[in-house]
Amino acid sequence: MSITYRLAKLSDLPTLDNILHQAVIALKQQGVNQWQNHSVTKQDLELAIERQSIVSQPYVWELNNQIIGFALLQSTDPYYRQLKSGKFSFHGDYFAIHRVMVSDKAIGKRVTKQMFSDIQQIAHSQDIQILRIDTHPDNSKMQHIIVRENFKYCGTTIVGDGGLRLVYEKNI
């Protein structure tokens, strides 16, 4: 069982939209008000793929040629310019990790562990030493993953929909 990754393609959109739908439902069932107001849509994923560049890199993870995960790496994030509270410990070029999603078919297969390991490799290959990520205060599953991956809590920020997010970073 080998999980591989690659840059996302427009032809991946139907599968990614399905995984996004699964994620929205799972968050709702967990009582997390993240992604519930259409703050992430199929159109957002499509734009990320269309605007693929060194600044915005959408990746998919596959198992047996089936897409099971997605994450977007961005070299800038306007919501990280100034935190609402706290501060970053590391300064310089970074990747912001966004839109982390895993298919229901892959739950329990340690996909996020592989995804975060691969993200570190991608960052190293592009001379990026800092990773940043944020999540909803009620999203305990993502917080667990972030802490498990040795990210350190930095503070909070307010995102485009006005929601508060917990911000973490890691020097790799």
Side-chain angles (χ1 to χ4, degrees):
M1 177 175 84
S2 178
I3 298 173
T4 59
Y5 69 92
R6 63 172 170 78
L7 285 166
K9 302 179 290 194
L10 285 174
S11 59
D12 299 329
L13 270 175
T15 303
L16 294 176
D17 187 41
N18 185 43
I19 294 172
L20 173 61
H21 181 71
Q22 293 170 15
V24 169
I25 290 171
L27 288 167
K28 184 175 184 174
Q29 290 173 341
Q30 295 164 30
V32 179
N33 190 26
Q34 187 175 8
W35 296 4
Q36 299 305 305
N37 59 1
H38 304 290
S39 60
V40 180
T41 64
K42 179 181 180 180
Q43 290 73 27
D44 294 323
L45 300 176
E46 183 175 15
L47 277 174
I49 294 169
E50 288 177 342
R51 295 180 179 170
Q52 199 172 111
S53 68
I54 196 70
V55 175
S56 180
Q57 301 174 39
Y59 287 92
V60 295
W61 277 260
E62 295 178 315
L63 176 62
N64 301 325
N65 297 315
Q66 298 292 314
I67 295 172
I68 58 169
F70 176 86
L72 176 63
L73 305 181
Q74 294 180 297
S75 62
T76 60
D77 186 312
Y79 306 118
Y80 294 173
R81 285 193 190 121
Q82 183 162 352
L83 297 179
K84 179 178 178 358
S85 68
K87 65 179 182 172
F88 290 114
S89 297
F90 307 108
H91 303 283
D93 293 338
Y94 66 91
F95 274 146
I97 305 167
H98 291 300
R99 316 275 191 259
V100 177
M101 303 183 297
V102 175
S103 169
D104 286 352
K105 297 174 186 171
I107 300 297
K109 297 188 186 312
R110 301 186 56 83
V111 175
T112 56
K113 185 89 173 145
Q114 183 66 51
M115 290 172 71
F116 278 88
S117 175
D118 292 338
I119 288 168
Q120 283 191 184
Q121 289 179 1
I122 293 165
H124 274 300
S125 74
Q126 297 179 37
D127 294 323
I128 303 294
Q129 301 300 315
I130 303 166
L131 297 176
R132 293 183 176 155
I133 190 168
D134 63 80
T135 193
H136 192 282
D138 294 336
N139 193 340
S140 59
K141 284 188 176 188
M142 183 53 77
Q143 290 172 46
H144 171 77
I145 291 167
I146 291 168
V147 171
R148 179 195 72 203
E149 296 302 320
N150 296 314
F151 283 77
K152 303 298 181 216
Y153 176 75
C154 297
T156 61
T157 192
I158 304 294
V159 294
D161 66 2
L164 182 74
R165 298 293 182 266
L166 307 178
V167 182
Y168 300 79
E169 73 178 341
K170 178 179 183 178
N171 189 11
I172 55 171

